Amino acid sequence: MTTWRTLLPASSTLRWSPTAAATKSKSAAFTEGALPMTLLKTLEQRFKSPQITSPLTMPYYLTFNEAASLVEKLGAKHREVQAKGTLSQKGIDEAMREFATKEIVPSLARARGKLEASTEAVDAKRQALTIPKPDKSDIAGALLRQELRTYLRSMSRGDRADLLLRDPDAATIAAVFEAPNHLSGIDDKLRTELEARIVAASHPQKLAQIEEERDCIQIAQLAINHAVDEIQKATGFAGSRLAFDKFMGEASAPIEAEFAKKGQPAARTVEDMVAVYRAMPKADQNAFINRYFDGELDPVKQEAA
């Protein structure tokens, strides 16, 4: 059975991510209309205006809108089925499950796949910002770095941390990062903090862009999780977590099989870029085309701090 991995946080693993609200009661009714759309409007307001028009972040806004449109489509179908007045509750549930399997879940599975690929690409961008490695052929430099590590080990823990975090010179930084922690007398926590500070000082703009992307991915993922909640309620699985997981696994199986055969969808496909181009102001379109073909919108280039 397919499991669904939430991106919030990236390390956690769960199934199709229905929230506690969706599984609280077996008698919970499907709440299409005002409540879900109000929640989605609240989420939409978390997008900043520049994020909606930026080529880097607009694809996530489009993914958010896709999830919102699926919620609206699901609600409209549920109202249509109920309005007929000829089906029992079981019949309504079965009709909605058939509709969700054909019209909702595949699109949601593709959107989730893109967000997972995007998360991996953004993480790779961050990991590509590294501390520069020293020239191994520089014997004098290597001896100096060895002396610096000996000096650092001789210091008290507090003095060592103060020196490294205050304003270390390039030679000291190289001495620390080319060798295991114990040779400089530091621990993993100090090493991580020192690296973060150096990278932040060296690449403030790139780090800001990475955080912008992560924020937008988070909003889009919340919209997808909300759509999952609405599917669970609309198909009569409220309170039946295992049955819902099984249903979603079967409904998304063709898309998962496609991913397994062809690989995870690109974080930004050509279709995404076309949608971004069409959605942005005409005054920005020429600049966008130039940036796209210059490769400025592509991940990931290894770059030292």
Short mmCIF file of all heavy atoms in Angstrom, two decimals, residues 66-118:
data_model
loop_
_atom_site.label_atom_id
_atom_site.label_comp_id
_atom_site.label_asym_id
_atom_site.label_seq_id
_atom_site.Cartn_x
_atom_site.Cartn_y
_atom_site.Cartn_z
N GLU A 66 -4.05 24.60 -7.60
CA GLU A 66 -4.55 23.33 -8.10
C GLU A 66 -5.22 22.54 -6.99
O GLU A 66 -6.30 21.97 -7.17
CB GLU A 66 -3.41 22.51 -8.71
CG GLU A 66 -3.87 21.18 -9.29
CD GLU A 66 -2.75 20.41 -9.97
OE1 GLU A 66 -1.58 20.83 -9.85
OE2 GLU A 66 -3.04 19.39 -10.61
N ALA A 67 -4.58 22.51 -5.81
CA ALA A 67 -5.18 21.81 -4.67
C ALA A 67 -6.51 22.45 -4.28
O ALA A 67 -7.49 21.77 -4.00
CB ALA A 67 -4.22 21.81 -3.48
N ALA A 68 -6.55 23.79 -4.30
CA ALA A 68 -7.79 24.50 -3.97
C ALA A 68 -8.89 24.20 -4.97
O ALA A 68 -10.06 24.01 -4.60
CB ALA A 68 -7.52 26.01 -3.90
N SER A 69 -8.53 24.14 -6.24
CA SER A 69 -9.54 23.85 -7.27
C SER A 69 -10.07 22.43 -7.14
O SER A 69 -11.25 22.17 -7.41
CB SER A 69 -8.95 24.08 -8.67
OG SER A 69 -7.98 23.09 -8.98
N LEU A 70 -9.21 21.50 -6.70
CA LEU A 70 -9.67 20.13 -6.50
C LEU A 70 -10.64 20.05 -5.34
O LEU A 70 -11.62 19.30 -5.39
CB LEU A 70 -8.47 19.21 -6.25
CG LEU A 70 -7.56 18.97 -7.46
CD1 LEU A 70 -6.32 18.18 -7.04
CD2 LEU A 70 -8.30 18.24 -8.57
N VAL A 71 -10.41 20.82 -4.28
CA VAL A 71 -11.35 20.87 -3.16
C VAL A 71 -12.70 21.41 -3.64
O VAL A 71 -13.76 20.88 -3.29
CB VAL A 71 -10.79 21.74 -2.02
CG1 VAL A 71 -11.86 22.00 -0.96
CG2 VAL A 71 -9.58 21.09 -1.39
N GLU A 72 -12.65 22.46 -4.45
CA GLU A 72 -13.89 23.05 -4.96
C GLU A 72 -14.62 22.07 -5.87
O GLU A 72 -15.85 21.92 -5.81
CB GLU A 72 -13.55 24.33 -5.73
CG GLU A 72 -14.78 25.11 -6.18
CD GLU A 72 -14.42 26.43 -6.82
OE1 GLU A 72 -13.22 26.76 -6.88
OE2 GLU A 72 -15.34 27.15 -7.26
N LYS A 73 -13.88 21.39 -6.72
CA LYS A 73 -14.46 20.40 -7.64
C LYS A 73 -15.10 19.25 -6.86
O LYS A 73 -16.18 18.77 -7.21
CB LYS A 73 -13.36 19.89 -8.56
CG LYS A 73 -13.82 18.94 -9.66
CD LYS A 73 -12.64 18.58 -10.55
CE LYS A 73 -13.05 17.67 -11.70
NZ LYS A 73 -11.89 17.33 -12.57
N LEU A 74 -14.43 18.81 -5.81
CA LEU A 74 -14.95 17.74 -4.97
C LEU A 74 -16.25 18.16 -4.30
O LEU A 74 -17.23 17.40 -4.27
CB LEU A 74 -13.91 17.37 -3.92
CG LEU A 74 -14.19 16.15 -3.04
CD1 LEU A 74 -14.04 14.87 -3.84
CD2 LEU A 74 -13.25 16.14 -1.84
N GLY A 75 -16.27 19.38 -3.78
CA GLY A 75 -17.48 19.89 -3.12
C GLY A 75 -18.65 20.00 -4.07
O GLY A 75 -19.80 19.67 -3.72
N ALA A 76 -18.37 20.50 -5.28
CA ALA A 76 -19.43 20.65 -6.27
C ALA A 76 -20.04 19.29 -6.63
O ALA A 76 -21.27 19.16 -6.77
CB ALA A 76 -18.87 21.33 -7.52
N LYS A 77 -19.19 18.28 -6.80
CA LYS A 77 -19.69 16.95 -7.12
C LYS A 77 -20.51 16.37 -5.98
O LYS A 77 -21.56 15.75 -6.21
CB LYS A 77 -18.51 16.02 -7.44
CG LYS A 77 -18.92 14.61 -7.84
CD LYS A 77 -19.71 14.62 -9.13
CE LYS A 77 -20.05 13.20 -9.58
NZ LYS A 77 -20.81 13.19 -10.85
N HIS A 78 -20.07 16.61 -4.76
CA HIS A 78 -20.80 16.09 -3.60
C HIS A 78 -22.19 16.72 -3.52
O HIS A 78 -23.18 16.03 -3.26
CB HIS A 78 -20.01 16.38 -2.33
CG HIS A 78 -20.51 15.63 -1.13
ND1 HIS A 78 -21.39 16.17 -0.22
CD2 HIS A 78 -20.28 14.35 -0.71
CE1 HIS A 78 -21.66 15.29 0.72
NE2 HIS A 78 -21.00 14.18 0.46
N ARG A 79 -22.26 18.01 -3.77
CA ARG A 79 -23.57 18.69 -3.76
C ARG A 79 -24.47 18.16 -4.87
O ARG A 79 -25.67 17.98 -4.69
CB ARG A 79 -23.37 20.20 -3.88
CG ARG A 79 -22.73 20.84 -2.67
CD ARG A 79 -22.78 22.35 -2.73
NE ARG A 79 -21.95 22.88 -3.82
CZ ARG A 79 -20.66 23.16 -3.70
NH1 ARG A 79 -20.03 22.94 -2.54
NH2 ARG A 79 -19.98 23.64 -4.72
N GLU A 80 -23.86 17.91 -6.02
CA GLU A 80 -24.62 17.37 -7.16
C GLU A 80 -25.20 16.00 -6.85
O GLU A 80 -26.38 15.73 -7.12
CB GLU A 80 -23.71 17.29 -8.38
CG GLU A 80 -24.35 16.65 -9.60
CD GLU A 80 -23.34 16.37 -10.69
OE1 GLU A 80 -22.44 17.21 -10.92
OE2 GLU A 80 -23.43 15.30 -11.33
N VAL A 81 -24.39 15.13 -6.27
CA VAL A 81 -24.85 13.78 -5.94
C VAL A 81 -25.94 13.82 -4.88
O VAL A 81 -26.95 13.10 -4.98
CB VAL A 81 -23.66 12.92 -5.47
CG1 VAL A 81 -24.14 11.57 -4.94
CG2 VAL A 81 -22.67 12.70 -6.62
N GLN A 82 -25.75 14.65 -3.87
CA GLN A 82 -26.76 14.76 -2.82
C GLN A 82 -28.08 15.31 -3.34
O GLN A 82 -29.16 14.91 -2.91
CB GLN A 82 -26.23 15.64 -1.68
CG GLN A 82 -25.27 14.95 -0.73
CD GLN A 82 -24.97 15.79 0.48
OE1 GLN A 82 -24.81 17.01 0.38
NE2 GLN A 82 -24.89 15.15 1.64
N ALA A 83 -27.99 16.27 -4.27
CA ALA A 83 -29.19 16.94 -4.77
C ALA A 83 -30.11 16.00 -5.54
O ALA A 83 -31.31 16.25 -5.66
CB ALA A 83 -28.79 18.12 -5.66
N LYS A 84 -29.55 14.91 -6.07
CA LYS A 84 -30.38 13.95 -6.81
C LYS A 84 -31.45 13.34 -5.92
O LYS A 84 -32.56 13.06 -6.37
CB LYS A 84 -29.52 12.87 -7.41
CG LYS A 84 -28.60 13.35 -8.52
CD LYS A 84 -27.77 12.20 -9.07
CE LYS A 84 -26.86 12.67 -10.20
NZ LYS A 84 -26.03 11.56 -10.74
N GLY A 85 -31.12 13.11 -4.65
CA GLY A 85 -32.08 12.59 -3.70
C GLY A 85 -32.49 11.15 -3.95
O GLY A 85 -33.48 10.67 -3.38
N THR A 86 -31.75 10.43 -4.79
CA THR A 86 -32.11 9.06 -5.12
C THR A 86 -31.16 8.03 -4.53
O THR A 86 -31.40 6.82 -4.66
CB THR A 86 -32.13 8.87 -6.66
OG1 THR A 86 -30.84 9.21 -7.17
CG2 THR A 86 -33.19 9.77 -7.30
N LEU A 87 -30.10 8.50 -3.89
CA LEU A 87 -29.09 7.58 -3.38
C LEU A 87 -29.09 7.55 -1.86
O LEU A 87 -29.32 8.56 -1.20
CB LEU A 87 -27.70 8.00 -3.87
CG LEU A 87 -27.45 7.94 -5.38
CD1 LEU A 87 -26.06 8.50 -5.70
CD2 LEU A 87 -27.59 6.52 -5.91
N SER A 88 -28.84 6.36 -1.32
CA SER A 88 -28.62 6.23 0.11
C SER A 88 -27.25 6.80 0.46
O SER A 88 -26.47 7.15 -0.44
CB SER A 88 -28.68 4.76 0.52
OG SER A 88 -27.60 4.05 -0.11
N GLN A 89 -26.96 6.90 1.74
CA GLN A 89 -25.63 7.39 2.13
C GLN A 89 -24.54 6.49 1.57
O GLN A 89 -23.48 6.97 1.13
CB GLN A 89 -25.52 7.47 3.65
CG GLN A 89 -24.22 8.09 4.14
CD GLN A 89 -24.02 9.50 3.61
OE1 GLN A 89 -24.90 10.36 3.72
NE2 GLN A 89 -22.87 9.75 3.01
N LYS A 90 -24.79 5.19 1.58
CA LYS A 90 -23.81 4.27 1.01
C LYS A 90 -23.62 4.52 -0.48
O LYS A 90 -22.50 4.50 -1.00
CB LYS A 90 -24.26 2.83 1.25
CG LYS A 90 -23.28 1.79 0.70
CD LYS A 90 -23.77 0.37 0.98
CE LYS A 90 -22.78 -0.66 0.40
NZ LYS A 90 -23.26 -2.06 0.64
N GLY A 91 -24.73 4.79 -1.17
CA GLY A 91 -24.65 5.08 -2.59
C GLY A 91 -23.89 6.37 -2.87
O GLY A 91 -23.12 6.46 -3.84
N ILE A 92 -24.11 7.38 -2.02
CA ILE A 92 -23.39 8.64 -2.16
C ILE A 92 -21.90 8.42 -1.97
O ILE A 92 -21.07 8.92 -2.74
CB ILE A 92 -23.92 9.68 -1.15
CG1 ILE A 92 -25.34 10.09 -1.51
CG2 ILE A 92 -23.00 10.91 -1.11
CD1 ILE A 92 -26.01 10.99 -0.49
N ASP A 93 -21.57 7.65 -0.93
CA ASP A 93 -20.15 7.38 -0.66
C ASP A 93 -19.49 6.66 -1.84
O ASP A 93 -18.38 7.00 -2.25
CB ASP A 93 -20.00 6.52 0.60
CG ASP A 93 -20.38 7.28 1.87
OD1 ASP A 93 -20.45 8.52 1.82
OD2 ASP A 93 -20.58 6.62 2.91
N GLU A 94 -20.18 5.67 -2.39
CA GLU A 94 -19.62 4.92 -3.51
C GLU A 94 -19.45 5.81 -4.74
O GLU A 94 -18.45 5.70 -5.46
CB GLU A 94 -20.52 3.72 -3.83
CG GLU A 94 -20.47 2.64 -2.76
CD GLU A 94 -21.42 1.49 -3.05
OE1 GLU A 94 -22.26 1.63 -3.98
OE2 GLU A 94 -21.34 0.45 -2.35
N ALA A 95 -20.43 6.68 -4.98
CA ALA A 95 -20.33 7.59 -6.13
C ALA A 95 -19.17 8.55 -5.97
O ALA A 95 -18.43 8.84 -6.92
CB ALA A 95 -21.65 8.36 -6.30
N MET A 96 -18.98 9.05 -4.75
CA MET A 96 -17.89 9.99 -4.49
C MET A 96 -16.53 9.29 -4.56
O MET A 96 -15.55 9.89 -5.00
CB MET A 96 -18.07 10.65 -3.13
CG MET A 96 -19.26 11.62 -3.06
SD MET A 96 -19.18 12.92 -4.32
CE MET A 96 -17.63 13.72 -3.89
N ARG A 97 -16.47 8.04 -4.15
CA ARG A 97 -15.20 7.31 -4.24
C ARG A 97 -14.81 7.08 -5.70
O ARG A 97 -13.64 7.21 -6.05
CB ARG A 97 -15.33 5.97 -3.49
CG ARG A 97 -15.42 6.14 -1.98
CD ARG A 97 -15.76 4.85 -1.26
NE ARG A 97 -16.09 5.12 0.13
CZ ARG A 97 -16.46 4.21 1.02
NH1 ARG A 97 -16.55 2.94 0.65
NH2 ARG A 97 -16.77 4.56 2.26
N GLU A 98 -15.79 6.76 -6.52
CA GLU A 98 -15.51 6.59 -7.94
C GLU A 98 -15.04 7.90 -8.57
O GLU A 98 -14.08 7.93 -9.34
CB GLU A 98 -16.76 6.09 -8.66
CG GLU A 98 -16.54 5.85 -10.14
CD GLU A 98 -17.79 5.34 -10.84
OE1 GLU A 98 -18.83 5.15 -10.16
OE2 GLU A 98 -17.74 5.14 -12.08
N PHE A 99 -15.71 8.98 -8.19
CA PHE A 99 -15.34 10.30 -8.73
C PHE A 99 -13.94 10.71 -8.28
O PHE A 99 -13.13 11.18 -9.08
CB PHE A 99 -16.37 11.34 -8.27
CG PHE A 99 -16.05 12.74 -8.70
CD1 PHE A 99 -16.26 13.16 -10.01
CD2 PHE A 99 -15.53 13.66 -7.79
CE1 PHE A 99 -15.96 14.46 -10.40
CE2 PHE A 99 -15.22 14.94 -8.17
CZ PHE A 99 -15.44 15.36 -9.49
N ALA A 100 -13.68 10.53 -6.99
CA ALA A 100 -12.36 10.91 -6.46
C ALA A 100 -11.25 10.09 -7.10
O ALA A 100 -10.18 10.62 -7.41
CB ALA A 100 -12.34 10.73 -4.94
N THR A 101 -11.50 8.81 -7.33
CA THR A 101 -10.49 7.94 -7.94
C THR A 101 -10.14 8.40 -9.35
O THR A 101 -8.97 8.38 -9.75
CB THR A 101 -10.99 6.49 -7.97
OG1 THR A 101 -11.19 6.03 -6.62
CG2 THR A 101 -10.00 5.57 -8.67
N LYS A 102 -11.14 8.85 -10.08
CA LYS A 102 -10.92 9.23 -11.48
C LYS A 102 -10.50 10.69 -11.63
O LYS A 102 -9.65 11.01 -12.48
CB LYS A 102 -12.19 8.98 -12.29
CG LYS A 102 -12.56 7.52 -12.45
CD LYS A 102 -13.83 7.36 -13.27
CE LYS A 102 -14.20 5.89 -13.46
NZ LYS A 102 -15.45 5.73 -14.24
N GLU A 103 -11.07 11.59 -10.83
CA GLU A 103 -10.95 13.02 -11.11
C GLU A 103 -10.12 13.81 -10.10
O GLU A 103 -9.71 14.94 -10.40
CB GLU A 103 -12.36 13.65 -11.19
CG GLU A 103 -13.27 13.02 -12.21
CD GLU A 103 -12.80 13.25 -13.64
OE1 GLU A 103 -12.07 14.24 -13.86
OE2 GLU A 103 -13.15 12.45 -14.52
N ILE A 104 -9.90 13.28 -8.91
CA ILE A 104 -9.26 14.07 -7.86
C ILE A 104 -7.90 13.51 -7.46
O ILE A 104 -6.88 14.21 -7.51
CB ILE A 104 -10.16 14.17 -6.61
CG1 ILE A 104 -11.54 14.74 -6.97
CG2 ILE A 104 -9.48 15.04 -5.54
CD1 ILE A 104 -11.51 16.15 -7.50
N VAL A 105 -7.86 12.27 -7.07
CA VAL A 105 -6.64 11.69 -6.51
C VAL A 105 -5.46 11.73 -7.49
O VAL A 105 -4.34 12.08 -7.09
CB VAL A 105 -6.88 10.26 -5.99
CG1 VAL A 105 -5.59 9.64 -5.47
CG2 VAL A 105 -7.93 10.28 -4.88
N PRO A 106 -5.63 11.39 -8.78
CA PRO A 106 -4.47 11.43 -9.68
C PRO A 106 -3.80 12.80 -9.75
O PRO A 106 -2.57 12.90 -9.71
CB PRO A 106 -5.06 11.01 -11.03
CG PRO A 106 -6.25 10.17 -10.67
CD PRO A 106 -6.82 10.83 -9.45
N SER A 107 -4.62 13.85 -9.85
CA SER A 107 -4.05 15.21 -9.90
C SER A 107 -3.35 15.56 -8.61
O SER A 107 -2.29 16.20 -8.61
CB SER A 107 -5.16 16.22 -10.19
OG SER A 107 -5.73 16.01 -11.47
N LEU A 108 -3.94 15.13 -7.49
CA LEU A 108 -3.34 15.42 -6.20
C LEU A 108 -2.02 14.66 -6.04
O LEU A 108 -1.04 15.19 -5.48
CB LEU A 108 -4.31 15.05 -5.08
CG LEU A 108 -4.12 15.78 -3.74
CD1 LEU A 108 -4.31 17.28 -3.90
CD2 LEU A 108 -5.08 15.24 -2.70
N ALA A 109 -1.99 13.43 -6.54
CA ALA A 109 -0.76 12.63 -6.46
C ALA A 109 0.36 13.28 -7.27
O ALA A 109 1.52 13.30 -6.85
CB ALA A 109 -1.02 11.21 -6.97
N ARG A 110 0.04 13.80 -8.44
CA ARG A 110 1.05 14.49 -9.25
C ARG A 110 1.55 15.75 -8.56
O ARG A 110 2.75 16.05 -8.58
CB ARG A 110 0.48 14.83 -10.63
CG ARG A 110 0.18 13.62 -11.48
CD ARG A 110 -0.29 14.02 -12.87
NE ARG A 110 -0.74 12.87 -13.63
CZ ARG A 110 0.06 12.02 -14.25
NH1 ARG A 110 1.37 12.21 -14.21
NH2 ARG A 110 -0.42 10.99 -14.92
N ALA A 111 0.64 16.49 -7.97
CA ALA A 111 1.03 17.72 -7.27
C ALA A 111 1.93 17.40 -6.10
O ALA A 111 2.95 18.07 -5.87
CB ALA A 111 -0.22 18.47 -6.80
N ARG A 112 1.59 16.36 -5.35
CA ARG A 112 2.43 15.96 -4.23
C ARG A 112 3.81 15.53 -4.70
O ARG A 112 4.84 15.83 -4.09
CB ARG A 112 1.77 14.83 -3.45
CG ARG A 112 2.54 14.44 -2.20
CD ARG A 112 2.34 13.00 -1.83
NE ARG A 112 2.86 12.11 -2.86
CZ ARG A 112 3.25 10.86 -2.62
NH1 ARG A 112 3.17 10.37 -1.40
NH2 ARG A 112 3.72 10.10 -3.59
N GLY A 113 3.84 14.80 -5.82
CA GLY A 113 5.13 14.35 -6.36
C GLY A 113 6.02 15.52 -6.73
O GLY A 113 7.23 15.50 -6.47
N LYS A 114 5.44 16.54 -7.32
CA LYS A 114 6.23 17.73 -7.67
C LYS A 114 6.76 18.42 -6.43
O LYS A 114 7.90 18.91 -6.41
CB LYS A 114 5.38 18.71 -8.49
CG LYS A 114 5.12 18.26 -9.90
CD LYS A 114 4.33 19.32 -10.67
CE LYS A 114 4.07 18.89 -12.09
NZ LYS A 114 3.30 19.91 -12.84
N LEU A 115 5.95 18.48 -5.38
CA LEU A 115 6.41 19.14 -4.15
C LEU A 115 7.55 18.35 -3.51
O LEU A 115 8.49 18.93 -2.98
CB LEU A 115 5.26 19.30 -3.15
CG LEU A 115 4.30 20.46 -3.40
CD1 LEU A 115 3.33 20.57 -2.23
CD2 LEU A 115 5.02 21.78 -3.60
N GLU A 116 7.47 17.03 -3.55
CA GLU A 116 8.57 16.23 -3.01
C GLU A 116 9.85 16.46 -3.80
O GLU A 116 10.93 16.61 -3.22
CB GLU A 116 8.19 14.75 -3.03
CG GLU A 116 7.14 14.38 -1.99
CD GLU A 116 6.91 12.87 -1.92
OE1 GLU A 116 7.39 12.15 -2.82
OE2 GLU A 116 6.24 12.43 -0.97
N ALA A 117 9.71 16.51 -5.13
CA ALA A 117 10.88 16.78 -5.97
C ALA A 117 11.42 18.18 -5.69
O ALA A 117 12.64 18.39 -5.66
CB ALA A 117 10.51 16.62 -7.44
N SER A 118 10.53 19.12 -5.49
CA SER A 118 10.95 20.49 -5.20
C SER A 118 11.69 20.58 -3.87
O SER A 118 12.69 21.28 -3.75
CB SER A 118 9.74 21.43 -5.18
OG SER A 118 9.13 21.51 -6.45
#
